[in-house]
Amino acid sequence: MVQKSKKVRLLLHLTNVLVIFFLLLPLFAVVIGSIQSEKTLQADLRSVLPAEYTLDNFIVILSKGEQKGKIFEQVTYLPDNIKEFYRSFYNSAVIALGVTLLTLVFGSLSAYTIARMRFRWTLWILQGTVVARFVPIIVLMIPLYVMLRSVDLLNSLSGVIIVETGFLLPYAILILAPYFDTFPRELEDAARIDGCTRFGAFLRVILPLSTPGLAACGVIMFIISWHELLIPLILNSKPQFMTLPAVIASLVGDVHVFFNLMLAICLLALLPSVVLVLLLQKYVVQGLSAGAVKG
């Protein structure tokens, strides 16, 4: 029996290693592609490690094309969107932070209502949020485009924030509603006896205890919004309102694809998400695990 359990643990560890390797393999390809020239990349497609390494791709991006480095000295054309890297990074940060804040505010209020007030209409809200996730975004983009054009919100960060908040709000409700349901009602009853209203009990008692769940939900909302491509690509056509995913997509041209620059920007775009997850890893694990089991 002991030998069998050891085999099972060994099999589980081997499975975990294979899954981690499968998940990190694309990241390894991005790193390797971003530190070599396009000539080196196309010289030997079967080679795992490049023959020479260079940081010129990052130099071109971070200098907005002013310093080309050795591998771009003879290049006559570089995409103009390379010069918009810092602006697009700022746009992505503003949109992601705005969407995260709004989804946490409205999502926590809706999730608390669903978890505490067992009315029929609250169950309709929960069912509506589930059904809303089955609607593809592309189906709604044309009506949204027309609506935003009528209120003059095209080519603006606020328009993208409003649309992404609407799409991500059901995710926040589905994450936070089970989490709020784990708190005993006696906490709010005690607060109401001391003079708090229902909203005051939620604000002063439940929210401070919900830090892990809110952190987990916030990280997920930030990552999804940060990497969103379709919504800002369709709603914002001017370069000054482009986000990082839109800049990466613009590097795919009709004649030429800047693979190395694309991989370098992808690696730079991953940094905020990685840093955020590393900083809030404890809260993310605690929040998701607490909301998964009631009691």
Side-chain angles (χ1 to χ4, degrees):
M1 186 68 181
V2 176
Q3 187 177 4
K4 184 177 180 180
S5 62
K6 289 183 178 179
K7 291 182 178 179
V8 172
R9 286 200 301 269
L10 180 62
L11 182 61
L12 290 175
H13 287 310
L14 181 61
T15 304
N16 287 334
V17 171
L18 292 176
V19 171
I20 293 173
F21 175 77
F22 177 78
L23 295 176
L24 292 181
L25 187 60
L27 181 60
F28 175 77
V30 171
V31 174
I32 293 299
S34 63
I35 56 176
Q36 58 180 310
S37 64
E38 187 173 352
K39 182 180 179 181
T40 305
L41 178 64
Q42 296 180 358
D44 188 3
L45 298 178
R46 298 182 180 180
S47 177
V48 178
L49 297 177
E52 57 181 1
Y53 301 91
T54 180
L55 296 177
D56 288 348
N57 297 309
F58 296 99
I59 293 175
V60 170
I61 295 170
L62 297 178
S63 66
K64 298 189 293 185
E66 296 178 359
Q67 301 179 17
K68 294 186 177 181
K70 295 181 179 179
I71 64 175
F72 292 100
E73 285 180 351
Q74 299 179 353
V75 175
T76 58
Y77 169 75
L78 284 174
D80 293 333
N81 290 331
I82 293 295
K83 302 177 182 179
E84 300 292 336
F85 172 77
Y86 292 103
R87 182 68 182 180
S88 61
F89 193 97
Y90 170 80
N91 293 339
S92 294
V94 170
I95 292 173
L97 292 174
V99 170
T100 302
L101 179 62
L102 291 178
T103 51
L104 287 180
V105 171
F106 294 112
S108 60
L109 293 173
S110 299
Y112 179 76
T113 302
I114 293 172
R116 285 294 186 261
M117 300 181 181
R118 297 295 184 179
F119 299 132
R120 182 179 299 177
W121 62 272
T122 60
L123 297 178
W124 289 347
I125 292 177
L126 183 60
Q127 294 171 358
T129 58
V130 175
V131 173
R133 291 299 87 216
F134 292 101
V135 180
I137 296 179
I138 190 64
V139 176
L140 303 176
M141 286 313 300
I142 295 179
L144 284 172
Y145 185 90
V146 175
M147 290 175 57
L148 292 179
R149 185 179 61 181
S150 63
V151 294
D152 198 23
L153 283 178
L154 291 179
N155 291 310
S156 67
L157 300 183
S158 56
V160 177
I161 291 175
I162 293 173
V163 174
E164 289 191 11
T165 301
F167 280 112
L168 294 181
L169 194 57
Y171 283 123
I173 296 174
L174 292 176
I175 293 173
L176 294 176
Y179 188 83
F180 288 143
D181 206 22
T182 60
F183 293 111
R185 295 177 180 268
E186 288 78 9
L187 292 174
E188 296 138 281
D189 293 339
R192 298 185 70 180
I193 291 175
D194 291 337
C196 286
T197 61
R198 181 180 292 273
F199 180 74
F202 167 72
L203 196 64
R204 293 180 174 86
V205 178
I206 300 301
L207 276 187
L209 296 175
S210 304
T211 302
L214 293 174
C217 182
V219 169
I220 295 173
M221 297 301 106
F222 181 89
I223 293 175
I224 295 176
S225 176
W226 180 268
H227 297 287
E228 176 62 39
L229 169 64
L230 187 62
I231 295 175
L233 184 64
I234 294 178
L235 299 183
N236 294 340
S237 58
K238 295 182 179 180
Q240 60 266 31
F241 298 108
M242 294 179 69
T243 59
L244 280 178
V247 170
I248 295 173
S250 68
L251 296 178
V252 181
D254 297 332
V255 180
H256 187 74
V257 179
F258 295 87
F259 287 107
N260 302 88
L261 292 177
M262 186 187 304
L263 296 175
I265 295 181
C266 286
L267 196 60
L268 293 173
L270 282 174
L271 291 180
S273 300
V274 174
V275 171
L276 187 63
V277 171
L278 291 178
L279 291 176
L280 301 178
Q281 183 180 9
K282 180 179 68 174
Y283 296 102
V284 171
V285 175
Q286 183 180 352
L288 292 179
S289 60
V293 181
K294 182 179 179 181

